[in-house]
Amino acid sequence: MFRTALRNVLAHKARLLMTVLAVMLGVAFVSGTLVFADTLSNAFRNQSAKSYDDVAVAVTSYADENDAEQEPGISEKTLGKVAALDGVAAAHGRVDGFAGVADPEGKLIGVGWSNKGSNFAPGKDGKDPGYTFTEGAGPAQDDRIALDADSAAKGKYAVGDRVRVATNGPVKEYTLSGVFTTRDGAVNAGGSLVLFDTGVAQKLYLKPGYYRDVTVTAAPGADDAKILDAVEPLLPENAEAQTGQALAEKQAADIEEGLGALKQVLLGFAAIALFVGVFLISNTFTMLVAQRTRELALMRAVGASRRQITRSVLIEAAIVGAVASAVGFVLGIGLTMGLRSGMAAFGMKVPDGPLVISATPVIAAFAVGVLVTMFAAWLPGRRAAKIPPVAAMGSVHAPAGAKSLVLRNSIGSVLTGLGAGGIVWGASAGGDTGRMLIAAGAFLALIGVIVLIPQLSRPVIALLRPLLVGVFSVAGKLAGRNAVRNPRRTGATASALAIGLTLVTGLSVLGVTVGRAVDKMTTDNIKADYMVTMANGGALDQSALTALEKAPGMSAVSPQQAVYFEVKGDFASASAVTPGDIGKVLNVEVVNGSLDTLAKGGIAVAEKTATKKGWKVGDRLPVTFNDKKKGSLEVGAVFKDSEFLSPVLVSTEIANPHEVKPYIPEIFVKTDGGQSEANEKALIDALGDNPAIAVMDRQDIRDQFGGMINTLLNIMYGLLAMALIIAVLGVVNTLAMSVFERQQEIGMLRAIGLDRRRVKRMVRLEAVVISVFGAVVGIGLGSFLGWAIGETFRDKIPGYALVLPWDRIGLFLVLAGLVGVLAAMWPARSAARLNMLTAIKTE
């Protein structure tokens, strides 16, 4: 039976090509993901280990900057004691924070969130072991800095040039003293690293005389564990010490965890692609078995058992799966190399390291490829074994009996009904429980629809038939009939497209609906013309607020300053704002009282918080501020809850005396005359043309809140493209094998006058009908799922209302039709080129 199976595979190479491609793509996705994750993990792990090669002990301070009673970090005195311990060769203090470097055009170099500043900490030899200088030397004066090599190259800076550097405060110019290379993670993530003199860095990021971190280097022969035991008693309570090896292992574990999440997402999409591929494989083997019924019947007649027939089909599938897995694994390795190059192209550095090919991706690739192929071929093989030898030898086709179709439709109806019920139940339940119910219901509904698709094909395609006949005459009529001639085949082909478009449509409905709600929420709540933030998402300095308040043409300026204080033993999250101006830049809908009380030392409370706490206008609340001082605040207003406002509003004049350093995430600005180039320039000039500060107009604000959703959608579309490509291959394969199966019929049509042009049109229209049918089913189910998932969190998004993206749905239908046209090119050409006399004689 093995020789027979191998002969059949070699005899049907062309017809099995699409199956090989489908399995190959799915396996490439799986193996590429696993190899990519292993390679990245190994590279980062090695880099992490190298970073701590010379570190015996690492100390980190977790001091609270707002707690005046705590030491802000590790003092110079403590650092000296650590350096004097037995076995310690050197101890280097580190302090770091945000630092953005401007290029010659004033634009920020790097990606904002990974732009970092630190201190140059030389040892007795004048060198800092954390950095290798390729040009110049480390900064030894207040007006000097050093830059990492990549940032210096991007900014075209050389030693001696003046460089503009922005921290949370005003922009300052420094002279470049040196250029260095480093293994620092910020630089590897596409950011920049600026080294300051230690005294300058301490003033910028912590407090003179204090460090946030300390790295200890051991003398030759010293034991790291003993040094750790000696260091720990010297540290303040808010500091933690661990060996360099332990820290490297912890970082390696964190990297594994981070990459693990990415790996799971990619493997999820690989599973979708393979699930779609099952339909292509099953369709292929079903048609091959149908075309070989005489041959199989002859084998039964000469003594082959049913089990042997099934086994021969499964052996064929195993051979196809093994070949596809081998090619797919090689393609997966190429995909890994491409992903590494792609990350580098987007500015994300990947540490150098070898390609890691462990046993896991090899086993996974072949196991997945072979098992998926055999699973998909099992049902066709089982059907082939059930055909009686005499009946099979007397008929090329063995249509399913009425009993089997009734059973299939009954099962499909039950599964679809249960799935739809679960989806509706989940939508009404809401929350995490509702989403779990929807996931279970969606699975059942999808399986049910797939089972029912052959039955659905007749009525749906019947609706399209008048259009086909009216526009395309005889070719259209034949295409419509061919599409429903074998409902099982049409259903299996359409199922692949339906699955892909169910996911794409569901994502689109959900994404567009949430995007519109977020956009509406933004436009409804923000009155300001501009929002000012730090490029790294951190806090703005108080000097930025002062500069904007003094700038000409500003009619209202208010920060959203994060404040926390204790009320009756419970912590309250509040925003410190500018009284009088907050109502001009944000929509604060007052329910009771007046916002004018903010200027008199009162507070405003969100409606839900007031109801929950039992607070009302006129109540005086005892509070404990951040600096532990006590006071009382009167509730002066109650306002409607807003996503842009904290539950409590208080004046900056009340909050600031109790804050060591105000934390200002954003500042809202209203200008005279509204948005204009002149007003935007006035804002930028007032901020000192700071490259690290982003000045966003109303459209930028909308893009910031809604842009993430569109980015996520585009990523999802890209990942789902693999499943759609496999679905297209399914259409091509079905048509090609259908043309081969219908050679005699096509020859007869040619003989009675159907020319080549209309033969091509007939095959193309058949492909378009099948593709559009699959698209209609997918779009309908996807829209239903999008609605249901949206219902589970609609109460979390104010103004949420279902939006059906008709433009995208129309585009999906057009693309489905185009898929049909492109998929039919090769089969249509093959059908048109058939010699009519040879075709008529074909059995």
Side-chain angles (χ1 to χ4, degrees), residues 4-330:
T4 302
L6 183 60
R7 179 184 60 79
N8 285 328
V9 170
L10 295 175
H12 302 107
K13 294 188 292 291
R15 277 175 272 175
L16 289 168
L17 176 62
M18 297 301 171
T19 297
V20 171
L21 286 174
V23 179
M24 178 188 75
L25 290 174
V27 168
F29 215 147
V30 172
S31 59
T33 297
L34 294 173
V35 173
F36 179 66
D38 288 346
T39 299
L40 245 63
S41 177
N42 181 69
F44 280 115
R45 193 186 302 111
N46 289 342
Q47 184 192 53
S48 177
K50 287 178 183 176
S51 298
Y52 293 99
D53 270 348
D54 300 325
V55 178
V57 174
V59 181
T60 303
S61 169
Y62 300 100
D64 183 355
E65 292 182 11
N66 289 314
D67 191 343
E69 296 178 3
Q70 284 189 8
E71 280 195 283
I74 299 157
S75 66
E76 292 271 10
K77 184 178 178 182
T78 302
L79 179 66
K81 290 180 180 179
V82 171
L85 291 172
D86 289 340
V88 173
H92 299 272
R94 304 287 182 192
V95 60
D96 55 38
F98 171 75
V101 182
D103 65 16
E105 296 179 358
K107 304 295 183 184
L108 185 68
I109 295 174
V111 290
W113 57 269
S114 60
N115 290 334
K116 181 180 169 185
S118 188
N119 63 304
F120 176 65
K124 294 176 182 178
D125 58 357
K127 295 181 180 180
D128 188 327
Y131 313 102
T132 303
F133 279 82
T134 56
E135 296 177 44
Q141 299 176 30
D142 289 359
D143 65 340
R144 298 286 195 271
I145 61 161
L147 267 181
D148 69 275
D150 285 344
S151 298
K154 290 174 185 175
K156 299 178 181 177
Y157 290 123
V159 173
D161 287 349
R162 298 289 285 175
V163 182
R164 296 176 73 241
V165 179
T167 53
N168 287 13
V171 180
K172 291 185 179 179
E173 277 199 356
Y174 299 86
T175 300
L176 185 63
S177 67
V179 176
F180 59 87
T181 58
T182 177
R183 299 189 188 105
D184 193 283
V187 177
N188 287 322
S192 61
L193 179 59
V194 181
L195 293 182
F196 299 93
D197 174 70
T198 294
V200 174
Q202 288 175 331
K203 288 177 185 176
L204 286 171
Y205 301 126
L206 201 59
K207 186 178 178 180
Y210 285 90
Y211 300 94
R212 185 168 284 116
D213 304 299
V214 171
T215 55
V216 180
T217 306
D223 183 73
D224 292 356
K226 289 182 179 179
I227 294 175
L228 176 65
D229 292 339
V231 167
E232 285 182 325
L234 302 177
L235 302 178
E237 291 182 1
N238 52 32
E240 179 189 10
Q242 53 189 319
T243 62
Q245 182 181 355
L247 193 58
E249 289 173 357
K250 182 179 181 299
Q251 283 200 358
D254 291 342
I255 290 166
E256 289 281 356
E257 186 179 348
L259 290 175
L262 173 64
K263 183 163 71 174
Q264 293 302 322
V265 170
L266 292 175
L267 287 175
F269 283 96
I272 293 169
L274 288 167
F275 183 55
V276 171
V278 165
F279 294 94
L280 190 161
I281 299 164
S282 180
N283 224 10
T284 300
F285 277 94
T286 297
M287 295 174 75
L288 282 174
V289 166
Q291 291 167 13
R292 286 164 40 205
T293 49
R294 289 179 184 272
E295 173 191 328
L296 294 172
L298 181 60
M299 291 174 64
R300 288 292 310 282
V302 297
S305 67
R306 287 186 175 186
R307 184 175 295 178
Q308 286 177 309
I309 295 295
T310 302
R311 193 182 302 155
S312 71
V313 175
L314 291 178
I315 291 172
E316 286 181 50
I319 294 169
V320 171
V323 172
S325 297
V327 179
F329 183 74
V330 174

